[in-house]
Amino acid sequence: GPDLNRALTAAEQLGLIDTPPARAALVRVLGLGAPPPLLLAAITALGQHVDLEAVPILRHYASYRSVPVRVAALTALGRSGGPEAEATILAALSDGDAPVRQAAAELAAQAGLPAAEGTLLLLVQRGDVAVVAPLGRVGGARTVDALTTNGRARGDAKVTPATRAWILGALLLREDFGPDPLRVRVVEALGALRTPEATAALVRYLAAVPVEQQRPSRAAAEAALKGQRR
């Protein structure tokens, strides 16, 4: 209808109805085109109960000119899952606008997409602090190689020691990160940093790993902390 406010209300109400006709109405609006506020409302509503049939239109709006619309489309895609949605999220990591990159990074981390590691690492090395936390959640050996060398933290003007310590500490705390020789490398790099952030990361790791596990990386963390106290 011609009344934008009524249309916005209708879109919001349709988002509360998990039925094929409700989803079809929202997809139809998106297919016909609408003012950005209505597009945003329709995408947000569709994202409440997104299905695979809605993925093509959401992928279209993931490259729309409006930043909020792109972010909403990516968020809805993140709830749908599937290869096409994942591919769109990975592509959005290279978007020209920081809010879109950040949204894509968060979604990639939530989905645990290993394919996001390379782009996230490159963004961090370029000074994009918005994707630091997601990298800590999906990073692996490639991230360790990029941030450390020969048991020490690698220097990089755009990756501050605090950021480096935060990422390495986040990797250590993940249950899926390893094997233990890789953890030892991270621990040694944190010990070499000798910053408050690195010390805090080592303390958190010791608190998270029971003594009875007898991990070499835990022993290395204890040694690193003792060395810093001397």
Side-chain angles (χ1 to χ4, degrees), residues 196-223:
E197 295 83 5
T199 299
L202 291 171
V203 170
R204 285 193 296 269
Y205 182 57
L206 285 178
V209 181
V211 177
E212 56 269 22
Q213 285 196 13
Q214 298 183 340
R215 285 185 186 175
S217 57
R218 192 184 196 285
E222 290 177 335

Side-chain angles (χ1 to χ4, degrees), residues 102-136:
Q102 184 174 8
E106 286 294 333
L107 291 167
Q110 289 172 19
L113 301 181
E117 180 181 16
T119 304
L120 291 175
L121 181 58
L122 181 62
L123 290 171
V124 167
Q125 290 171 325
R126 290 176 176 174
D128 193 338
V129 297
V131 303
V132 166
L135 178 59

Side-chain angles (χ1 to χ4, degrees), residues 9-38:
T9 300
E12 182 179 355
Q13 292 174 342
L14 284 169
L16 302 175
I17 305 171
D18 186 11
T19 65
R23 293 192 293 272
L26 292 167
V27 170
R28 185 166 59 251
V29 168
L30 295 173
L32 292 172
L38 182 53

Side-chain angles (χ1 to χ4, degrees), residues 164-176:
R164 198 177 304 275
W166 195 99
I167 295 171
L168 294 174
L171 297 180
L172 272 181
L173 291 178
R174 281 178 22 215
E175 287 294 327
D176 64 334

Side-chain angles (χ1 to χ4, degrees), residues 2-164:
D3 189 327
L4 180 58
N5 288 330
R6 289 187 66 189
L8 293 173
T9 300
E12 182 179 355
Q13 292 174 342
L14 284 169
L16 302 175
I17 305 171
D18 186 11
T19 65
R23 293 192 293 272
L26 292 167
V27 170
R28 185 166 59 251
V29 168
L30 295 173
L32 292 172
L38 182 53
L39 291 177
L40 184 59
I43 291 170
T44 302
L46 189 59
Q48 302 304 309
H49 308 288
V50 68
D51 59 18
L52 292 180
E53 292 183 3
V55 168
I57 195 69
L58 291 172
R59 293 187 71 193
H60 168 75
Y61 280 102
S63 58
Y64 189 70
R65 64 179 180 274
S66 165
V67 169
V69 168
R70 296 208 300 279
V71 170
L74 287 170
T75 302
L77 284 168
R79 292 171 181 157
S80 73
E84 291 186 336
E86 291 179 358
T88 305
I89 290 169
L90 291 172
L93 292 173
S94 301
D95 193 276
D97 289 290
V100 180
R101 292 196 303 273
Q102 184 174 8
E106 286 294 333
L107 291 167
Q110 289 172 19
L113 301 181
E117 180 181 16
T119 304
L120 291 175
L121 181 58
L122 181 62
L123 290 171
V124 167
Q125 290 171 325
R126 290 176 176 174
D128 193 338
V129 297
V131 303
V132 166
L135 178 59
R137 289 152 61 189
V138 301
R142 183 174 179 179
T143 298
V144 175
D145 288 341
L147 299 182
T148 69
T149 180
N150 298 326
R152 304 183 70 84
R154 182 174 294 175
D156 189 327
K158 290 191 177 181
V159 184
T160 66
T163 296
R164 198 177 304 275

